[in-house]
Amino acid sequence: MAHVLGQNQYGKAENRIVRVYRDSTRHEIKDLNVSVALSGDLDDVHLTGSNANCLPTDTTKNTVFAFAKEYGIESAEQFGITLAKHFVDNNEPIHRARIRIEEYTWDRIKTPDNSARFIGSEEVGHSFVRNGGETRTSEIVYDGESVQVISGLKDLVVMNSTNSEFWGYIKDKYTTLQEAYDRILATQVTARWKYGFTGKDDEAQPNWNRSYTHVRRHLLEAFAETYSYSLQQTLHSMGTRVLNNRSEVDEVRLELPNKHHFLVDLEPFGLKNDNEVYYAADRMYGLIEGTVHREGVVPVIPVA
Ligand SMILES: O=c1[nH]c(=O)c2[nH]c(=O)[nH]c2[nH]1
């Protein structure tokens, strides 16, 4: 029986790259994890042993580092678009490039010391502390015609200590969950959002960094401002709020683990637990996932 070579792609994964800008005493850094995946006319590479159509993964790695110097890293998205176009437009057998980037952010260290190395407002120009919060993500795909950009974030941990209820659900003989009229709602947000941008006809790129800042803000504001009857409802308001406020985005996908906080029984100690002491369980957890998109837009963000 004949076998068929199915979907395949290759490239150097997880190129960890730090780009420092030393243009003044106030240095800037970009800290990225870049993964390249190329596909195209690669049957012979797999089937015959001919590498004539193979751009080595080593070269893709070198290109990532060289481009950081040649073009700089204004944003992960812009960097990814430049790389993806380079691989496809300059290598005939390569028909599609997918660049995935994680970005780690660093904050400036402040110190009251006022010696010459310091640059005012107590900031040290060259000292950074890695931001312990979320990771920014992006995925850029170019197929020789159009660009698709999906940006996102992961590990953004949020909590509401009130304004969350959960009741009125299906009950059967296995139900033990008590209805909650004032519970903690906490989650670790993974969000991905797709831009309408296609890169065709010299279309101007959105301001990726600005867009990220605002999408993140709208996600947080929707979480904080929604009086929630379920995490599903909160998910919907988060997605809707991004679409209502950011015209450059046309689809939002959210994965929200319900980080359960269980009231601890303090009765054995003769104490009343008045919604004040919780056990924060890290697993198992409810996992609430959903896409919100503009009417008429065909959703493309893959379900993880
Ligand atoms: O917001 C929630 N949605 C659910 O579907 C669910 N299920 C559950 O046990 N607790 C919760 N909370």
Side-chain angles (χ1 to χ4, degrees):
M1 229 201 309
H3 302 292
V4 175
L5 175 67
Q7 197 280 343
N8 59 86
Q9 57 190 10
Y10 79 105
K12 199 71 95 193
E14 306 220 31
N15 299 284
R16 288 286 290 107
I17 172 163
V18 173
R19 170 67 155 100
V20 184
Y21 294 88
R22 302 172 192 271
D23 304 329
S24 73
T25 49
R26 191 175 195 272
H27 293 180
E28 304 281 347
I29 50 178
K30 281 279 183 191
D31 183 355
L32 306 182
N33 187 6
V34 181
S35 294
V36 177
L38 308 178
S39 44
D41 187 1
L42 297 159
D43 282 6
D44 279 355
V45 180
H46 294 84
L47 302 179
T48 73
S50 163
N51 290 327
N53 284 356
C54 182
L55 181 72
T57 67
D58 190 66
T59 310
T60 68
K61 175 259 294 174
N62 290 344
T63 310
V64 171
F65 287 100
F67 274 30
K69 169 66 185 173
E70 284 188 81
Y71 301 104
I73 305 171
E74 161 76 25
S75 65
E77 288 83 356
Q78 200 166 39
F79 189 57
I81 290 169
T82 308
L83 281 166
K85 288 197 161 173
H86 166 82
F87 290 128
V88 175
D89 291 344
N90 294 291
N91 297 284
E92 208 265 320
I94 305 301
H95 302 158
R96 182 180 187 270
R98 187 198 71 197
I99 312 293
R100 283 189 174 155
I101 303 178
E102 288 191 351
E103 177 171 355
Y104 314 112
T105 49
W106 294 77
D107 298 325
R108 291 178 190 282
I109 297 179
K110 293 188 176 189
T111 146
D113 188 333
N114 234 351
S115 68
R117 302 196 308 283
F118 300 91
I119 57 168
S121 57
E122 301 181 335
E123 274 184 357
V124 187
H126 59 267
S127 299
F128 302 86
V129 53
R130 177 135 152 205
N131 183 314
E134 76 277 9
T135 298
R136 180 170 163 178
T137 61
S138 54
E139 178 178 294
I140 295 94
V141 175
Y142 176 61
D143 61 4
E145 275 191 15
S146 63
V147 175
Q148 182 182 85
V149 178
I150 296 172
S151 296
L153 54 80
K154 60 180 187 180
D155 300 334
L156 181 66
V157 182
V158 289
M159 174 191 284
N160 284 329
S161 55
T162 189
N163 289 1
S164 168
E165 306 186 17
F166 186 67
W167 48 269
Y169 41 80
I170 296 171
K171 295 177 189 76
D172 65 15
K173 67 176 182 171
Y174 302 111
T175 305
T176 57
L177 185 73
Q178 296 293 307
E179 297 198 321
Y181 297 92
D182 187 5
R183 65 173 186 172
I184 284 183
L185 187 67
T187 186
Q188 181 166 338
V189 179
T190 298
R192 286 171 290 163
W193 54 91
K194 188 188 126 321
Y195 288 93
F197 175 77
T198 62
K200 285 183 179 166
D201 306 324
D202 288 331
E203 182 187 357
Q205 293 189 26
N207 183 330
W208 306 109
N209 293 332
R210 210 174 115 80
S211 182
Y212 177 85
T213 304
H214 286 293
V215 171
R216 179 185 184 280
R217 177 171 64 78
H218 287 300
L219 291 170
L220 290 178
E221 287 177 4
F223 180 81
E225 289 175 10
T226 303
Y227 190 104
S228 175
Y229 292 93
S230 68
L231 191 49
Q232 287 89 329
Q233 188 201 11
T234 298
L235 178 150
H236 181 254
S237 2
M238 291 168 79
T240 303
R241 183 164 172 136
V242 172
L243 294 179
N244 282 343
N245 289 281
R246 303 306 306 176
S247 59
E248 71 275 27
V249 175
D250 55 26
E251 176 188 353
V252 182
R253 174 91 189 160
L254 289 159
E255 288 148 44
L256 303 180
N258 193 352
K259 293 171 75 72
H260 299 300
H261 287 68
F262 297 114
L263 275 174
V264 178
D265 180 10
L266 300 176
E267 295 277 334
F269 322 122
L271 298 169
K272 182 163 182 278
N273 192 349
D274 210 6
N275 267 359
E276 289 172 311
V277 181
Y278 294 85
Y279 163 62
D282 71 340
R283 67 187 73 167
M284 66 265 330
Y285 50 88
L287 184 56
I288 312 300
E289 306 171 81
T291 298
V292 187
H293 61 89
R294 294 190 195 284
E295 220 178 334
V297 163
V298 179
V300 297
I301 301 176
V303 174

